[in-house]
């Protein structure tokens, strides 16, 4: 097993999904806000934030480990915490909004877990 056999593909998938979700949130802010009752400014700004984050994740994938990947994992965990806080807030939106935020939080949780596991394997194969 090479150092990046799992880590790099997971990071690349994370970057690709960030770009896709960012584009969706920026291009379709109005319709998504109307369907979910989530605040349109929040959706648009979240979409914009995902673009530089995706670039950072791509850079971390190129580096293959260390603090950049730890920072990606920490940012993903922070995103999940913010998503859960949104669900618990008065701005959580409709049931569809809660499902939308909950589904993306679940996906990000899975990515963070895979990244953590892969980072541990990368460290153990180099030790």
């Amino acid at each position: 097993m090479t150092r990046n056999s799992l880590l790099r593909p997971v990071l690349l998938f994370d970057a690709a999904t960030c770009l896709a979700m960012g584009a969706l949130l920026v291009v379709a802010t109005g319709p998504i806000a109307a369907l979910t009752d989530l605040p349109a400014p929040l959706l648009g700004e979240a979409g914009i934030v995902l673009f530089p984050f995706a670039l950072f994740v791509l850079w971390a994938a190129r580096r293959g480990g260390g603090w950049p990947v730890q920072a990606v994992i920490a940012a993903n965990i922070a995103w999940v915490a913010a998503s859960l806080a949104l669900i618990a807030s008065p701005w959580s939106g409709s049931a569809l909004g809660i499902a939308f935020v909950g589904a993306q939080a679940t996906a990000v949780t899975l990515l963070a877990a895979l990244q953590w596991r892969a980072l541990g394997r990368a460290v153990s194969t180099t030790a």
Side-chain angles (χ1 to χ4, degrees):
M1 178 177 267
T2 64
R3 182 172 185 234
N4 296 330
S5 64
L6 179 61
L7 184 58
R8 186 175 170 92
V10 171
L11 289 168
L12 293 174
F13 182 76
D14 190 358
T17 57
C18 284
L19 289 172
M21 181 60 86
L24 177 67
L25 290 173
V26 168
V27 171
T29 298
I32 293 172
L35 284 171
T36 62
D37 287 333
L38 292 167
L42 176 69
L43 293 170
E45 290 170 15
I48 291 168
V49 165
L50 288 172
F51 295 125
F53 181 67
L55 294 176
F56 182 78
V57 175
L58 287 172
W59 179 74
R62 186 173 172 93
R63 297 247 335 183
W67 73 265
V69 176
Q70 293 170 348
V72 169
I73 295 166
N76 279 336
I77 291 168
W79 184 275
V80 171
S83 298
L84 295 177
L86 176 60
I87 289 171
S89 79
W91 304 283
S92 61
S94 64
L96 186 56
I98 292 169
F100 179 77
V101 173
Q104 63 78 34
T106 301
V108 174
T109 299
L110 292 172
L111 282 171
L114 284 170
Q115 290 161 349
W116 181 260
R117 180 178 172 102
L119 181 61
R121 284 185 180 171
V123 170
S124 68
T125 60
T126 59

